[in-house]
Amino acid sequence: MILAFSGCQHLGQLKNLTNVALDPNGAPAQPAVLAEFENDPVVTSAGGWRDRRVPILRETFQRDLYGYFPDESEIVVGDVQLLDDNAYGGLATIELVPLTIRTRFGEGEWVERTIRLALAKPKAATKPSPVILKMSFCPFNETFRHDGLPNGQAEIVLPERTGKTNVSCVIKGFSPLERLQSYALGRYHVSPPIKEMIERGYAYAEINVLDYIVDASNLGSLQLELLSRGHNEDTSWGALAAWASQFSRAVDYLDTDEELDAERTAIYGHSRYAKAALVAGAFDDRIDAVIAHQSGRGGAALTRSVVGEPTSEMTATYHDWFSTAYTKRTQNSKELPFDQHQLIALLAPRPVLLGNARRDKWSDPNGAFRAAQGANPAYELFGSEGLTTERLNEFDPDADIAFWIRPGTHGEVKEDWSAFLEFLDAHF
Ligand code: GCU
């Protein structure tokens, strides 16, 4: 048995529990999002943004931060199993979908991995349902609270060994570690309100977290290496891009399901998976809305911001999340010629919610707010107002860049999901 899951709590995070200010403070996002960039002249139209700037920014984020996505990628759908046709008090069906992801970098060989997707669909739907796709810290049998789902234990294949790995989020005792885990994730991360989503007309899908890349620096790096033969050390992808690609491969499948509305696919992630969700949305236009909760550094928060998690510390601890090139150069990260508002701008004009908590200074809510402000001109090109508010605590679920902050710390609580669903109701 290989035990693999990197801790989500960091000492720095626990030391940063003071309330953040609710007025934006600090330097505005640089460079201005529509300004000349890498020899591309100022952007003045939605067409210019789409045709010229988007490809340049996608190349920049791959080359300098997340590493490159595979050149080719496809799925082979296995036998879909109906696990329950009467779940959640008779309101939903639950299906288990095996997806074999095939990827290829350059002229390298094709590499395959099979992941599992669990999918709950409302039975009362009279037309295709919008769907919320989540990637979570927890195995899917725990988040779905359904005995029919297999244990989320996964096989891992490494260059010289194979093994099984598992993780649990369910609090089975009250050891200090378990209390810390529950405190860190919040109860609603372990059990999101699936029944309420179904009642409100949403389908809910979840990727079993361990099936593709294990979130543990050394093992994760080895797996990434296996999955990206054909790329050299400087160009190969990190786990965030691999998770983002996994979101996209799940969307390949969801978009073919006739009971789901391919025009209303939302993806959701918390913390490191929120970083991945933003990357997925930025690179995949079929994703119709993104909820990125507490994504922090490497996600929505500006890298140049001096508050919260230092970039160098993040890449030292989680070097597998990024490209090797970025991990190497993080000591100089303040000099990178781009910043995370340009990642948010890649979502324009699609709706995005940036979730935050007041005592989660580690994730730098203020840096995320300034990034949202910095992304706005790209939204305006499409006739959207983008972020409509001026303070961090003025939640506007109708806005295309909705900024949400609540009291408390890092994790997912009931109010978060009320805000997320209000936001999706407003846009879908
Ligand atoms: C650590 C890490 C953060 C990350 C978080 C999480 O705290 O420093 O960057 O967002 O884990 O994924 O919970």
Side-chain angles (χ1 to χ4, degrees):
M1 158 116 166
I2 300 173
L3 183 69
F5 197 55
S6 74
C8 65
Q9 277 291 3
H10 207 274
L11 217 53
Q13 196 168 330
L14 294 173
K15 282 192 292 189
N16 275 273
L17 294 177
T18 47
N19 268 325
V20 300
L22 294 173
D23 286 309
N25 54 59
Q30 287 297 332
V33 76
L34 304 182
E36 183 183 332
F37 184 73
E38 293 198 356
N39 299 326
D40 183 41
V42 175
V43 178
T44 54
S45 67
W49 176 262
R50 267 202 187 111
D51 300 341
R52 296 190 345 246
R53 188 56 60 89
V54 166
I56 292 175
L57 286 176
R58 285 182 176 160
E59 171 65 20
T60 302
F61 277 106
Q62 289 182 96
R63 184 187 61 224
D64 293 335
L65 185 41
Y66 301 112
Y68 284 86
F69 282 85
D71 296 296
E72 290 174 87
S73 207
E74 60 187 32
I75 52 165
V76 180
V77 183
D79 287 334
V80 179
Q81 272 180 61
L82 177 63
L83 295 180
D84 193 341
D85 61 1
N86 228 7
Y88 301 109
L91 297 177
T93 56
I94 298 185
E95 291 169 359
L96 178 65
V97 185
L99 296 177
T100 300
I101 301 181
R102 303 186 74 236
T103 51
R104 186 175 187 221
F105 288 83
E107 297 298 306
E109 60 194 89
W110 284 92
V111 186
E112 288 187 3
R113 281 286 173 284
T114 299
I115 66 162
R116 290 161 296 172
L117 184 79
L119 174 58
K121 293 193 264 193
K123 284 169 67 175
T126 51
K127 53 184 177 107
S129 310
V131 57
I132 303 170
L133 169 65
K134 177 173 172 176
M135 206 178 308
S136 145
F137 285 90
C138 310
F140 58 5
N141 55 312
E142 291 182 358
T143 44
F144 271 74
R145 298 276 151 126
H146 192 279
D147 294 338
L149 277 168
N151 180 320
Q153 175 169 285
E155 289 284 341
I156 50 177
V157 183
L158 297 174
E160 284 160 20
R161 52 193 166 142
T162 58
K164 287 192 174 20
T165 186
N166 206 359
V167 60
S168 174
C169 296
V170 171
I171 310 303
K172 297 190 177 111
F174 294 98
S175 71
L177 188 68
E178 283 160 334
R179 285 178 188 216
L180 185 65
Q181 192 177 28
S182 123
Y183 171 77
L185 295 173
R187 188 158 75 77
Y188 280 75
H189 186 79
V190 186
S191 44
I194 300 179
K195 185 165 182 227
E196 187 186 339
M197 295 181 216
I198 300 285
E199 281 164 349
R200 287 168 80 150
Y202 294 94
Y204 175 78
E206 195 170 309
I207 297 163
N208 188 53
V209 64
L210 294 172
D211 288 345
Y212 202 49
I213 304 288
V214 171
D215 181 24
S217 301
N218 293 331
L219 295 180
S221 303
L222 289 170
Q223 284 187 303
L224 284 160
E225 213 178 293
L226 279 185
L227 287 175
S228 53
R229 287 186 206 133
H231 264 208
N232 66 38
E233 210 204 324
D234 283 341
T235 56
S236 69
W237 57 354
L240 295 175
W243 291 327
S245 155
Q246 197 178 205
F247 268 124
S248 287
R249 299 295 68 78
V251 171
D252 291 348
Y253 173 76
L254 296 172
D255 278 2
T256 63
D257 185 328
E258 285 173 2
E259 289 177 287
L260 304 177
D261 185 347
E263 305 295 314
R264 291 183 295 163
T265 302
I267 63 168
Y268 170 77
H270 171 230
S271 212
R272 64 200 64 184
Y273 299 110
K275 304 183 209 292
L278 286 170
V279 178
F283 281 80
D284 188 341
D285 295 326
R286 299 165 311 160
I287 292 166
D288 303 299
V290 174
I291 300 174
H293 187 47
Q294 302 173 327
S295 61
R297 198 71 66 232
L302 294 174
T303 305
R304 285 181 176 80
S305 191
V306 285
V307 173
E309 180 170 22
T311 315
S312 53
E313 219 173 300
M314 175 175 66
T315 53
T317 315
Y318 306 103
H319 57 83
D320 58 317
W321 289 357
F322 303 92
S323 71
T324 320
Y326 182 65
T327 297
K328 278 189 198 154
R329 68 188 277 186
T330 44
Q331 298 307 326
N332 302 320
S333 64
K334 291 201 176 75
E335 285 159 28
L336 281 176
F338 60 95
D339 212 328
Q340 298 304 102
H341 61 301
Q342 290 163 294
L343 185 75
I344 300 172
L346 283 171
L347 296 164
R350 290 164 291 154
V352 54
L353 180 149
L354 305 176
N356 298 272
R358 274 203 77 184
R359 288 187 192 280
D360 185 16
K361 197 170 165 191
W362 185 247
S363 301
D364 189 13
N366 213 287
F369 193 84
R370 281 177 287 130
Q373 289 178 317
N376 253 17
Y379 275 74
E380 286 161 8
L381 289 175
F382 293 87
S384 156
E385 250 189 291
L387 181 77
T388 55
T389 50
E390 290 185 359
R391 300 190 80 227
L392 277 68
N393 61 341
E394 295 166 343
F395 180 50
D396 177 3
D398 290 299
D400 288 330
I401 306 180
F403 194 89
W404 160 248
I405 192 163
R406 49 130 176 106
T409 55
H410 200 69
E412 261 170 84
V413 300
K414 190 171 183 185
E415 307 145 76
D416 292 328
W417 273 100
S418 306
F420 303 159
L421 293 177
E422 209 185 325
F423 163 77
L424 289 179
D425 285 354
H427 291 279
F428 284 176

